[in-house]
Amino acid sequence: MHFLARITALFVLISTAWALLSSLPETQVLVMYDATLSLPEEANLDHLLEVNDKYKVSYVDYADDAAQLFLGEDSIYSHVVFLPSLKRSAAATGIVDKFKLLEFFNKGGNVLAVLGAESALPEHVRLFLNEAGIYPAPKGFVVEDHFEKVSVGASNVVEPRIIGAAEVPEYKGTAALVSNNAFALPLVKGAKTSFTASPKDSALIAEKTWTLGEQCFLAAAFQGLNSARIAWVGSEQLLNEDLVRWVFQEKGVLKLQFVEHYKADEPGLSDRTQYRIKNDVVYTAGVSEWKDGQWVPYVPATEDDVLQLSFKMLDPYQRLNLTALGPGASTENGPDDLTIFYVNFTTPDHHGMFTFELDYKRPGLTFIEDRRVVTVRHLANDEYKRSWDIPNSWLYLATFGTVIAAWFLFVMNFLYIGEKKPNGASAAKEAAEKKAEKK
């Protein structure tokens, strides 16, 4: 009876949790704030998030020890925003925990962290950012300049595809160091004469300086292999709509709609698993970009954004740029929502297991990865060229024919055309006549 009661209680609990998750809107946004520093209304995120039926924003105080980031093993929220705080620790350990934030990120969640000149972030949020290669300055450190006031303009923006235009006449905030991780993206850099230090220090020495010159980054981002995103800004002055939309996967999102490969002379037989050496092959891919709430054909912004195909065994035997063929539709009779890219090439003169690899990673765009393994075989016995199909073989064929013809002529000359030999009787008669003449 006790076992049956436990099973019944567990079933009720799972059903309740599933009903709760099913009732959640498509996208849940969590905003963490410090009530002693600001109120949720002062955050003014509604305008940046363009809140509509798709978004539901929940505000939770760092002091709320009952708040949770997960319900069972599922994330309750899709995006989390951390606003500045005056405290290094937070009572909301169900959310503000480095390991839970890493788990949230690995499951595809996106994180936006905002700092200020006189505020900080909880220590676990800082440690989480450190895992992404972003190292914000300690509390109280501000960005200053040796000669003029600190300002932000177009020349300071490193990745305009992410943060867009950033114009701040007088910047009041902090900075961070960014590691050389390939997935860590500096967004806004400081001037060559800028530095980050505490105003309380009377002397500027290396031990008390966090950043110097252009290693001073006022905003930074990180995108994981699962395309989940993290962004950090040193001041709410840099918090603009472009950045928020990028973090929340509203821009810079690509989708691989299809991939096909086939022999050039057999276009109807796509995605075959075997080719022959020196086959002419066509590779095509359809890519879409998410813009303004719908999928549209993706157009690379610069020549550096071109898609590349690698036909590789252990190392690439061929690395080829794909050419845009034009727009297409992902569904029959549907609107044009993708760009078709293609490339023609010849398989190498080497048999073995090869991979069609499309590995597209560009700053500010979600990653595209696709791998198709095929076999490249050698020529079969009946597929080799005959002697007369090889131009260099004509010399040997002519020599062979000349030898045969010469031997035939020699035999004919020896048997029928050369000097005739007399037979035995006529020879004896001629010899007797010659003797008689001598006498």
Side-chain angles (χ1 to χ4, degrees):
M1 293 295 293
H2 292 288
F3 177 75
L4 182 59
R6 290 179 181 177
I7 292 297
T8 303
L10 181 61
F11 176 76
V12 172
L13 180 61
I14 294 175
S15 301
T16 304
W18 178 257
L20 180 59
L21 285 175
S22 301
S23 64
L24 294 177
E26 184 178 354
T27 304
Q28 290 274 335
V29 181
L30 171 65
V31 178
M32 300 294 297
Y33 72 99
D34 187 347
T36 61
L37 184 63
S38 63
L39 297 176
E41 296 78 9
E42 299 174 1
N44 194 26
L45 288 175
D46 289 354
H47 171 68
L48 294 177
L49 298 177
E50 296 182 352
V51 175
N52 49 40
D53 295 339
K54 182 179 178 180
Y55 287 102
K56 177 175 176 56
V57 183
S58 303
Y59 294 91
V60 176
D61 190 352
Y62 285 115
D64 187 355
D65 57 359
Q68 296 293 327
L69 190 58
F70 296 96
L71 182 61
E73 295 184 356
D74 299 314
S75 303
I76 300 175
Y77 306 96
S78 299
H79 318 294
V80 176
V81 180
F82 291 103
L83 296 179
S85 174
L86 293 176
K87 301 176 182 178
R88 293 187 59 185
S89 61
T93 56
I95 298 175
V96 187
D97 180 83
K98 181 185 76 170
F99 299 103
K100 290 185 178 181
L101 290 175
L102 287 173
E103 182 182 358
F104 173 74
F105 179 79
N106 290 333
K107 289 185 175 182
N110 306 295
V111 177
L112 173 62
V114 184
L115 258 178
E118 300 298 330
S119 58
L121 287 170
E123 185 64 20
H124 277 269
V125 178
R126 289 175 56 87
L127 294 174
F128 169 71
L129 293 173
N130 294 166
E131 293 288 335
I134 303 173
Y135 301 89
K139 180 182 177 181
F141 279 52
V142 297
V143 179
E144 298 182 8
D145 196 286
H146 286 290
F147 302 104
E148 56 186 2
K149 65 180 181 181
V150 180
S151 61
V152 176
S155 60
N156 301 99
V157 177
V158 181
E159 289 293 344
R161 179 154 48 191
I162 297 177
I163 200 169
E167 296 289 339
V168 181
E170 185 174 358
Y171 178 79
K172 295 181 180 180
T174 186
L177 293 170
V178 178
S179 71
N180 58 357
N181 188 330
F183 302 110
L185 307 172
L187 302 182
V188 181
K189 65 181 180 179
K192 294 181 180 179
T193 54
S194 63
F195 62 92
T196 306
S198 175
K200 298 178 182 179
D201 296 329
S202 57
L204 184 63
I205 59 176
E207 289 77 9
K208 296 185 178 181
T209 304
W210 192 256
T211 67
L212 287 172
E214 291 186 339
Q215 70 171 181
C216 165
F217 296 106
L218 313 182
F222 179 88
Q223 181 169 279
L225 289 174
N226 61 350
S227 293
R229 292 168 171 176
I230 301 170
W232 169 91
V233 292
S235 171
E236 61 276 4
Q237 294 172 299
L238 296 176
L239 191 62
N240 60 22
E241 182 180 338
D242 285 324
L243 179 61
V244 174
R245 291 180 64 238
W246 181 83
V247 176
F248 288 1
Q249 306 278 345
E250 289 293 332
K251 61 177 291 190
V253 177
L254 302 182
K255 181 180 180 182
L256 184 63
Q257 297 282 11
F258 75 87
V259 167
E260 287 185 349
H261 54 85
Y262 50 86
K263 289 176 62 177
D265 55 352
E266 297 179 357
L269 301 176
S270 62
D271 297 334
R272 57 193 303 147
T273 59
Q274 187 180 89
Y275 291 94
R276 195 194 67 198
I277 60 173
K278 298 183 179 181
N279 268 157
D280 292 328
V281 178
V282 180
Y283 178 91
T284 60
V287 182
S288 302
E289 182 179 9
W290 184 257
K291 275 188 178 180
D292 301 326
Q294 61 180 347
W295 293 109
V296 298
Y298 170 61
V299 180
T302 64
E303 293 183 358
D304 294 335
D305 293 334
V306 65
L307 279 76
Q308 284 189 331
L309 168 70
S310 294
F311 193 65
K312 60 190 297 184
M313 185 178 281
L314 294 177
D315 296 317
Y317 272 69
Q318 290 174 304
R319 182 170 286 149
L320 308 162
N321 292 340
L322 273 68
T323 303
L325 181 62
S330 59
T331 58
E332 187 176 0
N333 299 325
D336 291 342
D337 58 355
L338 58 87
T339 299
I340 301 174
F341 297 89
Y342 80 98
V343 66
N344 299 336
F345 70 99
T346 302
T347 56
D349 190 6
H350 189 91
H351 64 275
M353 302 299 294
F354 283 81
T355 302
F356 289 97
E357 182 180 70
L358 180 63
D359 189 358
Y360 189 66
K361 294 182 175 67
R362 296 295 184 273
L365 300 174
T366 53
F367 303 145
I368 293 178
E369 290 183 293
D370 185 80
R371 293 177 176 84
R372 309 288 174 98
V373 180
V374 296
T375 302
V376 176
R377 64 175 178 83
H378 52 69
L379 294 171
N381 291 336
D382 58 349
E383 291 177 329
Y384 285 94
K385 288 184 177 181
R386 301 297 97 183
S387 299
W388 48 84
D389 292 329
I390 304 174
N392 291 341
S393 68
W394 281 102
L395 175 63
Y396 302 96
L397 291 175
T399 303
F400 178 70
T402 302
V403 170
I404 294 177
W407 174 254
F408 178 78
L409 293 175
F410 170 77
V411 172
M412 292 296 101
N413 179 69
F414 181 81
L415 294 178
Y416 303 106
I417 302 176
E419 182 180 357
K420 294 183 177 180
K421 295 181 179 180
N423 54 31
S426 59
K429 184 177 180 180
E430 289 178 0
E433 290 176 352
K434 286 181 180 181
K435 288 181 179 180
E437 290 176 356
K438 288 180 179 180
K439 292 180 178 181

